[in-house]
Each structure stands twice: as C-alpha cells, then as structure tokens.
Amino acid sequence: MASTTDRKPRILVPEKVSVDGLALLSADYEVDSRPQGVPPQELLALIPDVDALIVRSETKVTAEVLRAGSRLRVVARAGVGVDNIDVEAATAGGIIVVNSPAGNIVAAAEHTVALLLATARNVGRADRTTKEGRWERGKLVGVEVGRKTLGIVGLGKVGMKVARMCIGLGMKVIAFDPYANPDLAQQTGVERLVPRLADMLPEIDFLTIHTPLLASTLDLIGEAEFKLMKPTARVLNVARGGVYNEAALLEALNKGVIAGAGLDVFTKEPPDQNTPAWQLLRHEKVTATPHLGASTVEAQENVAVDVCTQVAAVLRGELPTSAVNAPLILPEEYRALKPYAKLIERMGGLYTQHFASASASHVGVGGRHFELVYHGELAGVSNSRPLLAALVRGLVSPFSDTGGRHVNIVNATAVAREKGIVIREIHAHSGIGSGNEGSAYASFVMLRALATVEGTESEQQDREKTGGVDPGSQVIEGYVSGNNVYISRLDRFNASFSPEGTLLILHNFDEPGKIGGVGSVLGRHGINIRFMQVASLDLGRQKGGQDDAQPAQAPALETSAKKNGDEALMILGIDGDVTKDVVEDLRTAEGILNVSLVRL
C-alpha cells in the first residue's frame, strides 16, 4: 500500500551492526542506529514509529514489543538463531522475520580447518609452553593431514565447505548424512557416503560434526563410538556442545583411546569449574577456543549486508531470501493452517528420529520419496506451501546446520531438491485412516515414506483413493483438535499422543509386566514420566492384507515378535537426562524389541 505521506520508512538498529550493511539503507531510509543498546522500556517507547527492526542477540523482541509495533513490517536477525524473537507473535501480527543462515558458513568452516591443523601439529600446546620459556620441540611431534581420512557428520552448507577445503589439503573425505544429496557430494569430491555412523569410525583419522543439537545428536559420540576409532584419531567440534559426550571424551583422551581434540563449543559456556568440559579446556591433548566459529570481521559484515538487503526488499514489497516465518500467505489462511503446519513439522521430525534412526535398512543414503496426503477439509486447501515447508523443515532438522530454521515456504522446494527429498502432495477428500471413517476428524494428515516409487499410474491412483500402504513403506498419521496436535498412527500401530517434548518410543511384546519393568528402569535413572500411552496393533489393517508393512526394527526382531505373540508400542513423555546408558538399559530389558529417543 502506498504511504499517505512522504515520510521515509524508519529502521531501528538497537545493537552494533556492521556499517557496511547499514550503508545499504541510509540513502532510502531513516536509520536510527544505537550501538550502545536500547533498554526494554525505551524499545517499547520507540517501536510504534518503526517500520523495520534489525537486531543481533541481545535485544529481546517480545510479543509485547511486536504488538506495540503498529508500523512494524520486518524484524531482521543479523545472524542465524532467532531465539530472542517471538516468531509466532510476529507471524500472527503479519510481521516478517528474516535471518542470515549463510553469513557465517565460511567462518565456521575455516575455524574447523584451523582446529584440525592445530590439533594435528600441537599448535596450542606449543604456543603455551614456548611462551612459558620451555623449548619442547621433541615432545610436540605432530602428524600431516595430507593423505589422511576425514569423517564428516552432517553435509549441510558448513559440512560441505569443510569437505571442499580439506580435499584441497589432500585429505580423503567420507561422510554420514541420511539426507545428503549423493550427486552433490560426489561432485564436491566426497569419496563416499556411509549408511551408518559406525561404518566410518574405524577408518577415519579426523572426525568433525556439523549438526544441530537434538535428541538424535545429543551424545552422538560417546564411549562406544570412541572405542571404534583409531588411537591416532582426533575429533573436532565447531557445531554444538553436547554432540560429543564430554565425560566420555575426557576419558578417551586420558586413556589414549584417541589422540586429541579441537573444541570450540561446550555444553555450558563458559564451563563450570571441575566439570568434564572445564577439564577438557585445560587438557594437554585439547586445543580449545571460546566459541569463535562465527567470530570474524567478514562474517559479521556478511550477516549485516545480508539482512539489510532483505530488509530493503521487504520494505519495497519484494520477497526476502531467508524468511523464518511464512510471509506469502494471507493472515486468515495462516490462522487456519497454523496447527496443521505444526503437526506436519512434528511428523517429519518423528519420522527422522524414530523410523530413520531405528534401522539402517530403511535409511540408506541418497534420495527419499514421501507422500503427504491431506484428508477431509484440509484436502480443499489451495495454498499448501506452508505445509510442505513444515514437512521439509521437520525432516531435515536433525542433519541441518541450523536445525531446519532456514527452511520456509520460499526455499522449501529448493532445500528438498538439494537434500534429494521427493515429496508428492495428495489431496484425498475421502476420510480414510486411523479408524476415522465417518468423519471422526474434520481433517487429518498422512505421511508415507515409500519403500519404492515404482508402480503403474493406475496403482498410484488406487493408493490415493484407498489410503493404502505399499509393503515396506512407513506411515505416520495425525490430526488437529482445537490448537492441539496428535499422532493417531505410527506404522502398524494405532496411537493417540501429543508429539512434543522428549519422547521414548519402545516396541515391545504386548505382555503383562512390561510397563512396570520400563518404569523401574527409568526410576533407577531418575527420569520422570509425564505421560504414557500404549499403542496397539491395528488389527483391521492386518486383516485387510496390509500386514506386510514393516515397522522400524530390524527384520530379525520382527520375526521374533511374530513368533512370541502380539506387539505394541509404549510411548512415554519424559523429563530428565536420557543418556545412552538409559536407552541401552531399556533396549536390553526382556521383551523390548527396539527403543527410539525423540525430541520434538
């Protein structure tokens, strides 16, 4: 809409942001830069006259601030994380939130390589001892990185950049990422993708991880994984504190299980005294830095230029390149689809953390084919882009550099294509599935992960009409009630639970005593159960000839289950620190076939 005055749009910058970025705005906009910071009450007083707000991490953009911003059209975060911005309140108010997920890619990748070289040549220890007046040349013999093997977990933008740099150093690179595009990886020079993390640990000389911190990546590398590695191996972390179990890493270094570590991030920063992280900082085999991965002049300039360019685009009525929320949908459409977008994102995260992590036979490498089926009133929605984006965000979050926050309706299709994910949307107006014949729910959603995409066009059409499941495919169904979302089916099991928080999903024999046994295990570890639900086999689907659909566990366990009796899923919402020991205790309990840890 055209302004009724000649007033220039006003942009408030209540933190220090690179002048290179602000210079892009000064000619056409009134830029109020306050690098010293703005107190919360003063921000509330200023915001009603502001058209755009550019912040870093210190300014808290609360719902109260957003409600007061009657002219506010865009909030820009000069960086990646938007934890200091109430994105939900912004979206409800029609305010676009943008960030800069790519601005620090080079900085993070270069710091990874810097730590790799520093650990290989004992640079940190050499610098310290030399300044202390000791000349310990004989004690500081290092290794060359050329012709060594680097293992990368997470081939996102940073991981791929690290791969290119290390290939340039003459290294051989292998990687683990279920959603990596194999063609792109091969073009980059990655020698191969492995289906399981354990497959590459015995042969690598260096290991670097570039994933967000989720239930599936917390303590990703622990005692068992360190024991698979060479005693000459070194590990690197410029991603998130917690992907390595710090106590296990400390023990591995002390016992010579591995040779060294380069660490930029820790579970708590700065670490508390006398914790494993604190001891790692001081360990002679560790090169440590205080979270410097994105701390370069260029990175700060890059994110500033990026977000300022996007702010100018939004103020001109154009599309931003990195919208965190959904700018291309009408407010009334957004209100109707909002709970379904939440549901579908949780379904995607549930698939990746439950099904894809449970059995390598279902993961493999390369592309994925999914069907997202809308039933009931939802099938009549004309603009389903927010729903597609929500699915992609949920699927890629565990192996995305930014935890999926960069995925939005503007770039969801491109992200899916880059990751080798193929999604077919089906608007099936019939009300079939989850036992909700007779329109038990006004709308529900089915996510199918296809074991094969082959079949005649007629067979595909029949599947659309019936809601049927191909043998070997995996299915999640869910529905919305009010503003709450629920999962009503997990593969062959009927369920009814809210997919949020930390969940333990146990596949077990349906026999007396299982609930008590699981409760005892969790009680010993001090873990509280918030809720519990037992999901039973869908006997109607079994009788209908769909009992060939395989669950997430390995085939041997499936055969055992069929021989010993009925099966069930036990779904637990929990509070507490679920370590690998907890999962292993549950997995080895009598009658338990498989255990998945999921965080949503």
Side-chain angles (χ1 to χ4, degrees), residues 173-505:
V173 176
I174 58 179
F176 168 63
D177 184 336
Y179 290 105
N181 185 320
D183 293 333
L184 182 59
Q186 185 178 29
Q187 292 170 14
T188 301
V190 175
E191 183 162 303
R192 74 179 190 278
L193 296 171
V194 298
R196 298 183 307 158
L197 174 62
D199 292 339
M200 74 176 182
L201 294 178
E203 64 177 290
I204 59 176
D205 301 290
F206 294 86
L207 174 67
T208 182
I209 299 178
H210 299 282
T211 70
L213 185 65
L214 297 172
S216 55
T217 58
L218 177 65
D219 293 340
L220 183 66
I221 306 296
E223 180 181 0
E225 287 74 24
F226 286 123
K227 287 181 178 178
L228 291 175
M229 300 174 71
K230 300 176 182 178
T232 55
R234 293 162 170 84
V235 299
L236 312 167
N237 192 5
V238 188
R240 297 289 186 273
V243 294
Y244 293 93
N245 182 293
E246 289 171 339
L249 174 56
L250 180 63
E251 183 179 9
L253 292 169
N254 287 336
K255 293 183 175 180
V257 176
I258 62 171
L263 306 176
D264 185 49
V265 288
F266 302 87
T267 51
K268 184 178 180 181
E269 298 175 352
D272 293 331
Q273 288 191 7
N274 300 320
T275 61
W278 186 82
Q279 295 177 63
L280 286 169
L281 279 174
R282 289 155 178 77
H283 203 285
E284 66 175 10
K285 295 181 181 179
V286 174
T287 302
T289 53
H291 204 147
L292 299 180
S295 296
T296 66
V297 172
E298 293 83 358
Q300 300 305 315
E301 291 176 348
N302 289 341
V303 297
V305 170
D306 186 9
V307 297
C308 288
T309 300
Q310 293 189 73
V311 165
V314 172
L315 294 179
R316 290 194 302 266
E318 301 172 3
L319 294 178
T321 56
S322 296
V324 175
N325 53 358
L328 298 181
I329 184 169
L330 297 175
E332 57 270 24
E333 291 178 317
Y334 173 76
R335 284 191 292 271
L337 292 181
K338 178 181 175 181
Y340 289 99
K342 177 181 177 181
L343 169 65
I344 291 170
E345 182 173 348
R346 298 285 173 84
M347 292 169 76
L350 186 58
Y351 171 80
T352 295
Q353 298 181 65
H354 173 55
F355 284 126
S357 64
S359 171
S361 65
H362 282 99
V363 179
V365 293
R368 298 292 181 285
H369 288 75
F370 296 92
E371 288 181 345
L372 187 59
V373 188
Y374 310 124
H375 290 268
E377 295 175 1
L378 193 61
V381 171
S382 58
N383 184 357
S384 61
R385 285 179 294 180
L387 305 180
L388 181 66
L391 176 58
V392 176
R393 186 162 49 244
L395 288 171
V396 306
S397 290
F399 281 88
S400 166
D401 297 326
T402 60
R405 292 189 299 271
H406 67 296
V407 180
N408 55 69
I409 63 177
V410 177
N411 66 3
T413 302
V415 171
R417 184 167 54 248
E418 177 186 341
K419 298 293 185 181
I421 300 171
V422 177
I423 301 171
R424 183 168 178 247
E425 292 182 282
I426 299 173
H427 295 255
H429 293 267
S430 59
I432 299 172
S434 298
N436 55 337
E437 290 81 355
S439 300
Y441 317 126
S443 299
F444 78 98
V445 182
M446 174 190 289
L447 174 64
R448 283 196 290 246
L450 303 182
T452 175
V453 296
E454 297 176 355
T456 66
E457 183 176 349
S458 175
E459 289 170 338
Q460 293 178 355
Q461 291 174 350
D462 288 343
R463 192 167 65 237
E464 292 179 27
K465 293 176 183 178
T466 64
V469 182
D470 287 339
S473 67
Q474 296 158 326
V475 176
I476 302 175
E477 289 181 5
Y479 65 96
V480 171
S481 178
N483 289 321
N484 298 317
V485 302
Y486 298 92
I487 298 299
S488 54
R489 181 184 172 196
L490 272 178
D491 216 39
R492 301 173 301 134
F493 298 89
N494 287 329
S496 181
F497 68 94
S498 180
E500 60 183 30
T502 302
L503 304 175
L504 278 170
I505 302 176

Side-chain angles (χ1 to χ4, degrees), residues 525-594:
H525 289 278
I527 294 172
N528 183 51
I529 300 176
R530 292 185 293 106
F531 73 85
M532 185 201 72
Q533 201 235 330
V534 175
S536 60
L537 277 171
D538 189 333
L539 298 179
R541 291 183 186 274
Q542 299 279 26
K543 293 175 182 179
Q546 296 190 30
D547 55 334
D548 289 330
Q550 298 297 315
Q553 71 281 344
L557 295 179
E558 170 69 2
T559 301
S560 175
K562 287 182 176 179
K563 287 180 179 179
N564 286 277
D566 290 338
E567 308 160 63
L569 290 183
M570 194 184 306
I571 300 160
L572 305 173
I574 57 173
D575 294 317
D577 183 19
V578 183
T579 64
K580 287 189 174 181
D581 289 340
V582 177
V583 175
E584 189 59 28
D585 281 356
L586 291 171
R587 186 174 284 123
T588 56
E590 184 179 355
I592 302 297
L593 301 177
N594 194 49

